[in-house]
Amino acid sequence: MARIQVTGGRPLHGTVEISGAKNAALPILMAALLTPDPCRLGGVPHLKDVTTTIELLGQMGVDIGLGERSDVELHAAELQTDLAPYDLVRTMRASILVLGPLLARNGSARVSLPGGCAIGARPVDLHLKGLAAMGADISVEGGYIQARAERLKGARVVFDTVTVTGTENLLMAATLAEGTSVIENAAQEPEVVDLAECLISMGAEISGHGSNKITVQGRSSLAGYDYQVLPDRIEAGTFLVAAAMTGGCVRAARVRPGIMDAVVQKLEECGAEIALGEDHVELDMGGRRPRAVNITTAPYPGFPTDMQAQFTALNAVAEGTGVVRETVFENRFMHVHELQRLGADMQVEGNMVVTRGVPRLTGAPVMATDLRASACLVLAGLVAEGDTLIDRVYHIDRGYENIEEKFGQLGAAIRRLPA
């Protein structure tokens, strides 16, 4: 199993080009199931989750072509099966996103209950209740969701809690339903908005996306899309936190600063100088040690849970005491034990971690437990004395494209060790 070795002590300097957002690319790739017409998605990142999605769609009969400049071409003229098998779905929770479009276009879907990162319960019952409200006949047998509907009917769905993938699944399903659907307590994440904009480009009638109430007027068919995926705000935030931790100066290029407000504000609180451009964010720490910050995660536009681990790592080496509260997932502090192995002074108390910053960390072997935890360990390794050896880096390959090369271009001493 491959590992990543990081030798700490080098401030980061330079410009990093941000890839397309995985969390926007995956649902848009699956939206190709809604139409028999050809589709093209540009800016798709080269990630394990993208590869899994392409393999899953290919097994269903979607013709896939990989073009230049990270383009993916998809053509679901005729679907050969409505089955999303366990061996693929178990590795990636986002696989559940085939359920809505498959059911809407095909009239049936058999989707394995999903797997993915072990960061807490992410039940799919909200997806199923919403589709049932739209007239689907749904059962769960042998670990598979089995859904049927001659044609979905428009309905009003009120989510008990905010769910990004639930919003996306119902949004896609509603585009081909008969009548009007209203999704309330909908997720407002930029990635949901990106999916909605892509669906609109296919001819869907959608309003209210970006708010907590989305209205969809169903249509009998949709056309193909030619679309460019949103830049990854989490990848951008990760590199900016790394710059702050190392006392460096980094420009994250090809971003949308307007969707990064919560992260940028916390970086300013930690003492960084921030300059915003039309398509970039530049952070200059001026060699200073960051100050500890308090954070509470929340659905967008609140502070993103996918940046929690990175700021926990920042607090480990910051001046003062910082408190991070996790309100989205109940099991997302597994990286704390690994940071403690590096010398971090932090304690988990219920749904929060209290950190007293130390002047320095010391390199040691650590193990990644999920996608964002693996990124946080790389960040900690950048400021630790000596070598930090990170195991289970397959997690990081699910969400970060060419992470060693990108950090290396900024001056980090980082390399991947073969299995």
Side-chain angles (χ1 to χ4, degrees):
M1 190 177 296
R3 296 174 293 175
I4 287 178
Q5 178 180 296
V6 185
T7 303
R10 299 187 181 185
L12 301 184
H13 293 280
T15 298
V16 59
E17 188 87 4
I18 300 304
S19 301
K22 178 197 79 160
N23 289 341
L26 298 185
I28 293 174
L29 289 171
M30 293 172 188
L33 293 168
L34 290 166
T35 176
D37 294 347
C39 299
R40 187 201 69 86
L41 183 59
V44 180
H46 297 287
L47 301 170
K48 177 60 177 173
D49 279 6
V50 170
T51 302
T52 300
T53 299
I54 288 173
E55 186 177 352
L56 176 60
L57 293 173
Q59 284 194 12
M60 292 178 174
V62 180
D63 290 330
I64 308 287
L66 302 180
E68 298 179 359
R69 300 182 304 279
S70 301
D71 290 355
V72 177
E73 297 171 354
L74 310 99
H75 193 191
E78 293 185 10
L79 299 178
Q80 297 173 357
T81 179
D82 64 357
L83 176 65
Y86 171 74
D87 62 337
L88 286 175
V89 174
R90 68 184 176 87
T91 66
M92 185 183 70
R93 286 183 180 269
S95 302
I96 191 66
L97 287 170
V98 300
L99 179 60
L102 260 184
L103 183 59
R105 179 180 167 203
N106 202 51
S108 64
R110 294 175 293 156
V111 181
S112 172
L113 292 170
C117 286
I119 58 172
R122 293 191 278 186
V124 299
D125 62 307
L126 298 180
H127 304 232
L128 306 187
K129 288 177 182 177
L131 291 171
M134 297 172 72
D137 180 13
I138 295 176
S139 61
V140 178
E141 302 173 13
Y144 277 79
I145 300 163
Q146 307 212 27
R148 291 189 175 278
E150 185 171 335
R151 186 182 180 189
L152 293 173
K153 308 292 185 182
R156 176 174 175 263
V157 176
V158 182
F159 284 125
D160 294 337
T161 59
V162 176
T163 163
V164 172
T165 53
T167 300
E168 292 168 339
N169 237 337
L170 265 61
L171 178 59
M172 287 188 281
T175 61
L176 292 180
E178 181 181 351
T180 302
S181 297
V182 179
I183 306 170
E184 298 200 37
N185 201 23
Q188 302 175 50
E189 270 70 6
E191 295 79 14
V192 175
V193 175
D194 209 34
L195 171 63
E197 289 294 334
C198 179
L199 293 170
I200 290 169
S201 77
M202 300 169 70
E205 296 183 36
I206 301 171
S207 61
H209 47 298
S211 75
N212 63 1
K213 182 179 179 180
I214 302 175
T215 302
V216 184
Q217 179 63 49
R219 301 194 51 146
S220 58
S221 64
L222 295 178
Y225 61 74
D226 189 341
Y227 199 76
Q228 188 77 17
V229 75
L230 176 80
D232 194 326
R233 62 193 172 105
I234 304 301
E235 183 193 14
T238 300
F239 280 101
L240 293 172
V241 171
M245 290 174 65
T246 63
C249 179
V250 166
R251 172 180 287 202
R254 209 189 79 84
V255 302
R256 294 189 189 175
I259 62 175
M260 296 182 61
D261 289 347
V263 169
V264 167
Q265 288 171 12
K266 289 300 175 181
L267 288 169
E268 289 177 326
E269 281 185 34
C270 86
E273 294 182 6
I274 300 288
L276 303 179
E278 183 177 337
D279 62 354
H280 70 266
V281 178
E282 184 170 317
L283 179 146
D284 189 356
M285 206 66 201
R288 300 180 302 276
R289 183 181 173 191
R291 296 190 296 267
V293 293
N294 296 328
I295 285 167
T296 299
T297 64
Y300 190 87
F303 188 90
T305 182
D306 280 352
M307 285 299 303
Q308 178 258 105
Q310 297 90 314
F311 272 85
T312 301
L314 181 145
N315 278 349
V317 295
E319 293 180 354
T321 298
V323 178
V324 174
R325 289 180 174 84
E326 176 59 61
T327 71
V328 179
F329 295 121
E330 77 281 1
N331 192 27
R332 210 169 195 182
F333 286 137
M334 291 185 289
H335 46 280
V336 168
H337 176 70
E338 302 303 306
L339 291 171
Q340 289 170 333
R341 288 177 50 79
L342 301 177
D345 181 1
M346 50 181 57
Q347 196 71 35
V348 176
E349 300 176 7
N351 72 329
M352 66 182 184
V353 57
V354 180
T355 303
R356 298 164 184 83
V358 297
R360 64 184 60 84
L361 301 175
T362 303
V366 291
M367 183 177 296
T369 53
D370 61 70
L371 169 54
R372 304 307 171 185
S374 61
C376 119
L377 296 177
V378 171
L379 268 54
L382 293 171
V383 294
E385 291 184 345
D387 293 338
T388 299
L389 196 60
I390 304 163
D391 208 346
R392 287 187 175 179
V393 297
Y394 59 84
H395 285 294
I396 209 164
D397 295 332
R398 293 185 50 236
Y400 291 91
E401 183 178 39
N402 301 326
I403 193 166
E404 312 99 273
E405 291 87 343
K406 288 186 176 183
F407 272 120
Q409 291 167 4
L410 297 176
I414 180 173
R415 62 183 179 132
R416 182 171 295 233
L417 304 179

